[in-house]
Amino acid sequence: MTTSVQETRAQPARGAEIRRHELAAFLRSRRERITPEQVGLPRGTRRRTPGLRREEVAHLSAVGVTWYTWLEQARDIQVSVQVLDALARALRLDASERAHLFQLAGATDPTPAANCPSVTPALRQMLTGLEPIPACIQNSRYDILAYNRTYGRLLGDLDAIPPEDRNCMLLVHTNKEWQAAVVHLEKTQRLMAARLRAALAGHLGEPAWKMLLRRLDESPAFRENWRRYEVVDTRSKSKEFLNPYVGRLSLEHTDLWLAPDVGARMVTYTPRNEETRQRLEKLYEIACGR
């Protein structure tokens, strides 16, 4: 009986050890397939590693070299979702590989791409019915959970952006196409940071929020605005975009709250003049491939 109990208790430990070794092998295989040139690093003349070096992955992920080495050595260490997210991006993992990474690490991926709150068929039908008015569904983190065709072309080509990167805060601070489309960029960035600060109060310590803030910290503009510690609530407001397909758009931004307790909302952009209305119709035709 004693032996049986000991074996039962040992099973989870053996399973965890197996996962650590699988994780180590997976990280090595993905590191070795990426060339330095793919991530903007010099190859040098003394490179023996077929892909990236461990220290290069650590640098790209903003983690310690020793800590990353321990991961590849299958050491028994705790890995946060923020670090896993950084590794997934540094190693250029696709959706299936990213899910595999989190599963091996015994963690839940908090990004909308992996675990999206329910967007019902009725809500999707509403988004479609609003065409050519650009509309999307966001949560309080600015994750874009669903959108109609016109919104998908409002500031560029949203379809071309990986699902885990479809976040308005990230895009307005890191995506050059989105930044070029926002007429009053600095003012918009400051306002959005203040709105995010206000929303954060109800989500302190949550992994998804910590992960977003870590990524945003790479933006000097966000760091400057975040240090201001400004807080504003949400409100309807005018927006101007320089759309790459149809030109300047003058719009009225409105939030339609779907679930205030979690911050889910439908964001709409209605035209403020006839010229913009006509341009939205043209944009919708472009989005439909007409």
Side-chain angles (χ1 to χ4, degrees):
M1 178 67 71
T2 302
T3 302
S4 177
V5 171
Q6 290 175 342
E7 290 178 350
T8 301
R9 291 176 177 175
Q11 288 176 359
R14 284 200 296 268
E17 183 180 0
I18 292 171
R19 280 203 311 274
R20 289 198 303 272
H21 282 280
E22 285 292 323
L23 175 61
F26 181 66
L27 289 172
R28 284 195 299 271
S29 70
R30 293 307 178 267
R31 170 171 61 84
E32 291 173 354
R33 74 175 183 177
I34 299 176
T35 65
E37 292 83 358
Q38 286 179 295
V39 292
L41 295 175
R43 172 167 288 277
T45 58
R46 299 183 179 180
R47 181 175 296 271
R48 297 179 180 177
T49 305
L52 295 178
R53 300 186 179 101
R54 286 175 175 173
E55 57 266 28
E56 290 170 334
V57 175
H59 170 72
L60 291 169
S61 307
V63 301
V65 177
T66 300
W67 189 91
Y68 178 75
T69 301
W70 285 350
L71 266 182
E72 285 203 7
Q73 291 175 344
R75 298 280 190 97
D76 187 7
I77 58 176
Q78 295 295 319
V79 190
S80 70
V81 295
Q82 295 95 324
V83 169
L84 291 172
D85 172 70
L87 288 173
R89 288 185 286 112
L91 296 172
R92 300 192 169 193
L93 303 186
D94 62 24
S96 298
E97 292 168 334
R98 181 185 174 96
H100 186 61
L101 173 69
F102 275 80
Q103 187 174 23
L104 289 176
T108 301
D109 187 351
T111 61
N115 184 23
C116 178
S118 177
V119 178
T120 66
L123 288 174
R124 293 188 184 278
Q125 187 175 350
M126 288 177 65
L127 289 174
T128 302
L130 286 170
E131 303 276 20
I133 292 175
C136 71
I137 296 175
Q138 297 179 17
N139 60 18
S140 53
R141 282 197 311 272
Y142 283 90
D143 294 320
I144 302 170
L145 309 179
Y147 54 94
N148 62 16
R149 290 182 177 182
T150 314
Y151 184 88
R153 296 296 184 274
L154 184 61
L155 292 99
D157 186 0
L158 190 56
D159 293 337
I161 296 172
E164 62 269 19
D165 293 336
R166 291 174 190 165
N167 176 284
C168 291
M169 287 292 299
L170 282 175
L171 292 171
V172 83
H173 284 92
T174 63
N175 186 285
K176 292 182 179 180
E177 189 175 35
W178 271 56
Q179 291 174 336
V182 178
V183 175
H184 305 291
L185 179 61
E186 292 183 4
K187 179 181 178 181
T188 298
Q189 289 175 330
R190 183 170 178 176
L191 176 62
M192 290 177 68
R195 291 180 63 180
L196 187 71
R197 172 76 76 178
L200 176 64
H203 304 275
L204 295 173
E206 292 183 15
W209 283 77
K210 292 169 67 176
M211 190 166 70
L212 174 61
L213 291 174
R214 175 171 177 158
R215 296 189 65 182
L216 286 169
D217 193 56
E218 299 173 7
S219 164
F222 178 80
R223 291 199 302 270
E224 179 181 352
N225 288 325
W226 198 246
R227 283 195 294 264
R228 297 175 186 271
Y229 223 100
E230 295 175 331
V231 178
V232 297
D233 59 1
T234 57
R235 57 183 179 273
S236 298
K237 54 191 175 296
S238 300
K239 286 279 190 178
E240 286 188 275
F241 297 134
L242 190 59
N243 183 269
Y245 305 101
V246 298
R248 198 178 189 94
L249 299 171
S250 181
L251 303 161
E252 189 73 16
H253 173 143
T254 303
D255 288 321
L256 306 173
W257 295 94
L258 305 175
D261 55 326
V262 295
R265 62 189 183 275
M266 182 176 291
V267 179
T268 63
Y269 290 94
T270 52
R272 300 184 68 222
N273 54 49
E274 179 62 21
E275 183 179 44
T276 295
R277 186 190 66 78
Q278 294 177 2
R279 289 180 177 180
L280 285 180
E281 291 178 353
K282 179 62 177 177
L283 183 60
Y284 175 57
E285 293 178 359
I286 293 173
C288 293
R290 298 175 184 172

Short mmCIF file of all heavy atoms in Angstrom, two decimals, residues 30-31 34 39 52 56-62 83-93:
data_model
loop_
_atom_site.label_atom_id
_atom_site.label_comp_id
_atom_site.label_asym_id
_atom_site.label_seq_id
_atom_site.Cartn_x
_atom_site.Cartn_y
_atom_site.Cartn_z
N ARG A 30 13.15 25.86 -31.85
CA ARG A 30 12.67 27.11 -32.44
C ARG A 30 13.77 28.16 -32.48
O ARG A 30 13.83 28.97 -33.40
CB ARG A 30 11.45 27.63 -31.66
CG ARG A 30 10.21 26.73 -31.81
CD ARG A 30 9.92 26.50 -33.29
NE ARG A 30 8.80 25.62 -33.53
CZ ARG A 30 8.90 24.30 -33.73
NH1 ARG A 30 10.08 23.72 -33.68
NH2 ARG A 30 7.84 23.56 -33.98
N ARG A 31 14.64 28.15 -31.50
CA ARG A 31 15.78 29.08 -31.50
C ARG A 31 16.71 28.79 -32.67
O ARG A 31 17.21 29.72 -33.33
CB ARG A 31 16.53 28.97 -30.18
CG ARG A 31 17.86 29.70 -30.14
CD ARG A 31 18.46 29.74 -28.76
NE ARG A 31 18.73 28.43 -28.21
CZ ARG A 31 19.85 27.72 -28.46
NH1 ARG A 31 20.76 28.20 -29.30
NH2 ARG A 31 20.05 26.55 -27.87
N ILE A 34 15.79 30.14 -36.42
CA ILE A 34 15.72 31.57 -36.72
C ILE A 34 17.13 32.10 -36.97
O ILE A 34 18.02 31.91 -36.14
CB ILE A 34 15.06 32.36 -35.57
CG1 ILE A 34 13.62 31.87 -35.35
CG2 ILE A 34 15.06 33.86 -35.87
CD1 ILE A 34 12.94 32.53 -34.18
N VAL A 39 15.91 38.73 -37.29
CA VAL A 39 15.55 39.57 -36.14
C VAL A 39 16.44 40.80 -36.05
O VAL A 39 16.51 41.46 -35.02
CB VAL A 39 15.63 38.76 -34.83
CG1 VAL A 39 14.54 37.70 -34.80
CG2 VAL A 39 17.00 38.12 -34.64
N LEU A 52 19.83 31.27 -33.61
CA LEU A 52 20.16 32.27 -32.60
C LEU A 52 20.90 31.64 -31.43
O LEU A 52 20.71 30.47 -31.11
CB LEU A 52 18.89 32.95 -32.09
CG LEU A 52 18.09 33.79 -33.08
CD1 LEU A 52 16.83 34.33 -32.40
CD2 LEU A 52 18.91 34.92 -33.65
N GLU A 56 21.12 35.74 -27.30
CA GLU A 56 20.36 36.58 -28.23
C GLU A 56 18.86 36.46 -27.99
O GLU A 56 18.13 37.45 -28.02
CB GLU A 56 20.72 36.21 -29.67
CG GLU A 56 22.14 36.61 -30.05
CD GLU A 56 22.58 36.05 -31.38
OE1 GLU A 56 22.05 34.98 -31.78
OE2 GLU A 56 23.46 36.65 -32.02
N VAL A 57 18.40 35.23 -27.73
CA VAL A 57 16.99 35.04 -27.40
C VAL A 57 16.66 35.76 -26.09
O VAL A 57 15.61 36.41 -25.96
CB VAL A 57 16.64 33.54 -27.29
CG1 VAL A 57 15.20 33.36 -26.81
CG2 VAL A 57 16.85 32.85 -28.62
N ALA A 58 17.56 35.66 -25.11
CA ALA A 58 17.34 36.33 -23.83
C ALA A 58 17.25 37.84 -24.03
O ALA A 58 16.39 38.51 -23.43
CB ALA A 58 18.48 35.98 -22.86
N HIS A 59 18.13 38.38 -24.87
CA HIS A 59 18.11 39.82 -25.13
C HIS A 59 16.82 40.24 -25.81
O HIS A 59 16.19 41.23 -25.41
CB HIS A 59 19.31 40.20 -26.00
CG HIS A 59 19.27 41.60 -26.52
ND1 HIS A 59 19.48 42.71 -25.71
CD2 HIS A 59 19.01 42.09 -27.77
CE1 HIS A 59 19.36 43.81 -26.43
NE2 HIS A 59 19.07 43.46 -27.68
N LEU A 60 16.41 39.49 -26.82
CA LEU A 60 15.19 39.83 -27.55
C LEU A 60 13.95 39.72 -26.67
O LEU A 60 12.96 40.41 -26.89
CB LEU A 60 15.04 38.91 -28.77
CG LEU A 60 16.06 39.11 -29.89
CD1 LEU A 60 15.96 37.96 -30.90
CD2 LEU A 60 15.85 40.44 -30.59
N SER A 61 14.01 38.83 -25.68
CA SER A 61 12.87 38.61 -24.78
C SER A 61 12.95 39.44 -23.51
O SER A 61 12.02 39.39 -22.70
CB SER A 61 12.78 37.12 -24.40
OG SER A 61 12.78 36.30 -25.54
N ALA A 62 14.06 40.16 -23.32
CA ALA A 62 14.27 40.99 -22.12
C ALA A 62 14.24 40.14 -20.84
O ALA A 62 13.64 40.52 -19.83
CB ALA A 62 13.23 42.11 -22.04
N VAL A 83 6.69 36.44 -19.53
CA VAL A 83 7.92 35.92 -20.13
C VAL A 83 7.61 34.98 -21.28
O VAL A 83 8.26 35.01 -22.33
CB VAL A 83 8.78 35.22 -19.06
CG1 VAL A 83 9.93 34.45 -19.71
CG2 VAL A 83 9.34 36.25 -18.09
N LEU A 84 6.61 34.13 -21.11
CA LEU A 84 6.21 33.23 -22.18
C LEU A 84 5.77 34.01 -23.42
O LEU A 84 6.09 33.65 -24.55
CB LEU A 84 5.09 32.30 -21.72
CG LEU A 84 5.49 31.25 -20.67
CD1 LEU A 84 4.24 30.53 -20.16
CD2 LEU A 84 6.47 30.24 -21.26
N ASP A 85 5.03 35.09 -23.20
CA ASP A 85 4.60 35.93 -24.31
C ASP A 85 5.80 36.54 -25.01
O ASP A 85 5.86 36.58 -26.25
CB ASP A 85 3.68 37.04 -23.79
CG ASP A 85 3.34 38.07 -24.86
OD1 ASP A 85 2.60 37.72 -25.80
OD2 ASP A 85 3.83 39.21 -24.77
N ALA A 86 6.78 37.04 -24.23
CA ALA A 86 7.97 37.63 -24.82
C ALA A 86 8.77 36.60 -25.60
O ALA A 86 9.28 36.89 -26.69
CB ALA A 86 8.84 38.24 -23.72
N LEU A 87 8.88 35.38 -25.09
CA LEU A 87 9.59 34.32 -25.80
C LEU A 87 8.87 33.95 -27.09
O LEU A 87 9.51 33.73 -28.13
CB LEU A 87 9.71 33.09 -24.91
CG LEU A 87 10.70 33.18 -23.74
CD1 LEU A 87 10.58 31.94 -22.85
CD2 LEU A 87 12.13 33.34 -24.25
N ALA A 88 7.53 33.88 -27.04
CA ALA A 88 6.76 33.54 -28.24
C ALA A 88 6.98 34.56 -29.34
O ALA A 88 7.10 34.21 -30.51
CB ALA A 88 5.28 33.44 -27.88
N ARG A 89 7.05 35.84 -28.96
CA ARG A 89 7.27 36.87 -29.96
C ARG A 89 8.71 36.88 -30.46
O ARG A 89 8.97 37.04 -31.66
CB ARG A 89 6.89 38.24 -29.39
CG ARG A 89 5.39 38.40 -29.23
CD ARG A 89 4.99 39.80 -28.78
NE ARG A 89 5.31 40.05 -27.38
CZ ARG A 89 6.22 40.89 -26.95
NH1 ARG A 89 6.94 41.58 -27.84
NH2 ARG A 89 6.43 41.08 -25.68
N ALA A 90 9.67 36.68 -29.55
CA ALA A 90 11.08 36.66 -29.95
C ALA A 90 11.38 35.49 -30.89
O ALA A 90 12.16 35.63 -31.83
CB ALA A 90 11.97 36.57 -28.72
N LEU A 91 10.74 34.35 -30.64
CA LEU A 91 10.95 33.16 -31.46
C LEU A 91 10.00 33.07 -32.65
O LEU A 91 10.01 32.07 -33.37
CB LEU A 91 10.82 31.91 -30.59
CG LEU A 91 11.88 31.77 -29.48
CD1 LEU A 91 11.55 30.61 -28.55
CD2 LEU A 91 13.26 31.60 -30.08
N ARG A 92 9.18 34.09 -32.80
CA ARG A 92 8.26 34.20 -33.95
C ARG A 92 7.36 32.96 -34.07
O ARG A 92 7.22 32.38 -35.16
CB ARG A 92 9.05 34.42 -35.24
CG ARG A 92 9.88 35.69 -35.20
CD ARG A 92 10.42 36.04 -36.55
NE ARG A 92 10.98 37.40 -36.54
CZ ARG A 92 11.32 38.09 -37.63
NH1 ARG A 92 11.14 37.55 -38.82
NH2 ARG A 92 11.81 39.31 -37.53
N LEU A 93 6.75 32.57 -32.98
CA LEU A 93 5.88 31.41 -32.98
C LEU A 93 4.54 31.75 -33.62
O LEU A 93 4.00 32.84 -33.41
CB LEU A 93 5.65 30.92 -31.55
CG LEU A 93 6.89 30.56 -30.72
CD1 LEU A 93 6.46 29.96 -29.39
CD2 LEU A 93 7.81 29.61 -31.47
#
